[in-house]
Amino acid sequence: EMVACSKAGEQDRLSEIIKELVEREMPAEKERECYRNGEFPWDAWKAMAEAGFTGLGLPEEVGGTDVDLMTVALANFTISRYGGPLAAFYSMGMPTMYDVCEFGTPEQIEKYVKPYIAGGAPLALGISEPSTGSDVAGMQTSYAWDGDPAVLTGGQPYTTCGLEAPAILLIAKDPTVANVPRGAPMFFVAADPPRVTI
């Protein structure tokens, strides 16, 4: 049952539906087993996709359900509270897929957003570094243009969903720009060896 929300009562009902689905698909023992074995519960994730939850907040033209940010936040809270391992995929999927819908090409939307909504992996987000955490101003990973594509240098070992993601939205700085946040665009980096080591 999919609910498009605009009122508090509908948001409460949506949270209840998500809670019921997550508790059914991710009982406590399954959650513990996933953490013990380091495995992602793909069957539970697919059930979330079939119920339409992976597309919340994304445009209808790409297969999403256009709801407000508060509804997305409530869904995220509910999944995080009851869904354990599902939470990282959902928490990472929403901002990265939103960015692709907002700034990506039709080809990138087709390649990454639509499979995610159908139950595939989200993109990973590359920001955090060992010495600076998620402080973009202190990052060391940099880029330089050498024709096309750009040459990226550095490492971001704390990349959420990096093991499963088909690509990484990686933030890198332009070492020639003094105001780092103004010179730190996102790049698509395919999670393919040997150029990228996971």
Side-chain angles (χ1 to χ4, degrees):
E1 182 180 350
M2 187 65 237
V3 181
C5 299
S6 60
K7 299 177 184 156
E10 292 175 334
Q11 291 172 335
D12 289 343
R13 179 69 184 128
L14 178 67
S15 292
E16 279 301 312
I17 294 168
I18 293 172
K19 178 180 181 274
E20 290 166 12
L21 182 140
V22 170
E23 287 182 330
R24 182 177 66 247
E25 297 293 331
M26 282 294 303
E29 180 49 42
K30 182 174 181 175
E31 183 176 340
R32 285 191 291 275
E33 187 179 312
C34 286
Y35 285 128
R36 241 190 332 266
N37 300 332
E39 295 174 354
F40 184 75
W42 282 105
D43 55 341
W45 183 249
K46 298 282 187 194
M48 296 235 342
E50 288 168 12
F53 299 134
T54 53
L56 283 177
L58 299 176
E60 291 178 6
E61 59 266 23
V62 301
T65 303
D66 189 15
V67 297
D68 62 29
L69 188 56
M70 181 56 76
T71 301
V72 174
L74 288 169
N76 193 15
F77 174 81
T78 306
I79 293 164
S80 297
R81 183 172 181 188
Y82 300 103
L86 299 170
F89 261 38
Y90 192 79
S91 296
M92 193 52 52
M94 292 318 299
T96 58
M97 295 304 161
Y98 183 85
D99 283 345
V100 177
C101 288
E102 184 77 11
F103 305 110
T105 65
E107 293 78 20
Q108 291 165 336
I109 290 169
E110 195 69 34
K111 185 173 183 178
Y112 298 115
V113 177
K114 290 185 177 180
Y116 167 79
I117 291 172
L123 297 174
L125 184 60
I127 300 174
S128 300
E129 298 181 353
S131 60
T132 60
S134 298
D135 174 19
V136 174
M139 73 168 35
Q140 300 303 305
T141 302
S142 63
Y143 75 93
W145 293 108
D146 183 18
D148 192 22
V151 176
L152 299 164
T153 304
Q156 296 179 341
Y158 309 119
T159 303
T160 304
C161 300
L163 291 174
E164 302 288 352
I168 302 162
L169 279 182
L170 186 136
I171 298 176
K173 70 176 184 177
D174 179 344
T176 67
V177 174
N179 185 342
V180 174
R182 289 199 175 271
M186 284 184 164
F187 293 90
F188 270 104
V189 178
D192 297 329
R195 295 184 302 166
V196 175
T197 303
I198 304 293

